[in-house]
Amino acid sequence: GEAAPPGGGGGRPPPAHTGRNLFFDAGCSVYRKGKSHLLGGDAPVPGGTLGSLGASALGPSMPLFYSMYADRCATFDGIWGWEARPFQPAKWWNGVPLEVRHKLRFFNVPITLDGPADPLLTIGQVAQPEDFVVFKLDIDTYDVERAVVEEIRTNARKTNASLLIDEFYFEYHFRTPLEPRLHTYWPGRTRGGSIDDAMKTMRELRELGIRAHFWI
């Protein structure tokens, strides 16, 4: 992908960004914040937290990222989301604003590798080098997450995702002696690797030119 460049030299404005702004969200949860419209009316989210629906501490990721990038003059032209937890389609879409619905594709299935629900294959098929591509990965299943990250890092399956992704957000569920406090919301199947492994992975992705960030 190609991000809009910073200011040009010699007092000249930077070249215009001619591509699209695309967001791919693996582990997207719901769209609307605060209340769950998937349970009917204004029913509170089960357990009183968004975390029980797979959202982060800051709320569901799609509206959060949409707003965050729009505030920086990068409104997404296309959004793709995958979520393993089953939801009623009509109630899920009821939370999506009208101005977003026409550009959003939601797949209520677990992501897979080298199949129809593979986000990296989707990125490779949809994105172009001139596009600005943002990818967020947080599915709470360590083995699958690591396989996705390894494909980004090595391009072994020739998805070319590493050539197209500009920014990458990843909740790396590493193991640590602080587990009783840090991993309150991380089930055992989500964890693997160490803090050193996490830092090494993110450094290697940045060396590829991908702005890799930890996500919570």
Side-chain angles (χ1 to χ4, degrees):
E2 178 179 294
R12 293 174 297 177
H17 170 53
T18 57
R20 302 165 298 169
N21 300 314
L22 307 179
F23 180 44
F24 300 84
D25 190 347
C28 63
S29 180
V30 295
Y31 197 96
R32 184 164 292 179
K33 300 179 183 179
K35 300 283 188 179
S36 173
H37 291 261
L38 310 173
L39 305 174
D42 292 325
V45 173
T49 67
L50 284 163
S52 58
L53 285 177
S56 81
L58 299 176
S61 52
M62 280 196 290
L64 177 66
F65 277 81
Y66 192 89
S67 175
M68 182 172 68
Y69 278 89
D71 287 346
R72 291 159 177 79
C73 301
T75 300
F76 291 129
D77 301 296
I79 304 169
W80 286 256
W82 293 264
E83 175 55 48
R85 302 186 186 210
F87 294 113
Q88 296 181 33
K91 291 183 178 179
W92 192 94
W93 283 97
N94 188 53
V96 182
L98 288 175
E99 66 271 18
V100 176
R101 289 183 186 180
H102 71 283
K103 61 179 77 175
L104 171 60
R105 298 159 180 84
F106 173 60
F107 306 95
N108 198 184
V109 295
I111 70 168
T112 60
L113 299 178
D114 204 16
D118 185 336
L120 298 185
L121 283 178
T122 301
I123 291 172
Q125 293 168 353
V126 169
Q128 300 296 322
E130 65 269 20
D131 295 332
F132 176 58
V133 175
V134 180
F135 177 40
K136 191 223 84 184
L137 175 64
D138 179 13
I139 60 170
D140 292 341
T141 305
Y142 176 79
D143 291 343
V144 178
E145 290 174 333
R146 282 299 305 167
V148 171
V149 171
E150 278 302 294
E151 170 58 22
I152 297 174
R153 191 178 66 83
T154 65
N155 199 31
R157 293 190 290 119
K158 307 301 181 185
T159 61
N160 294 325
S162 62
L163 304 176
L164 298 166
I165 296 171
D166 294 285
E167 293 207 73
F168 177 52
Y169 296 81
F170 177 35
E171 183 169 21
Y172 198 121
H173 303 95
F174 49 79
R175 296 184 180 276
T176 168
L178 300 178
E179 280 190 52
R181 288 184 295 169
L182 184 61
H183 293 168
T184 304
Y185 300 105
W186 290 0
R189 66 183 172 83
T190 70
R191 302 195 296 273
S194 65
I195 294 176
D196 289 341
D197 294 328
M199 297 299 292
K200 179 175 181 290
T201 296
M202 301 305 258
R203 186 192 74 239
E204 290 174 345
L205 293 173
R206 283 182 167 248
E207 288 172 350
L208 291 174
I210 299 171
R211 291 190 290 276
H213 314 280
F214 288 109
W215 164 256
I216 58 171

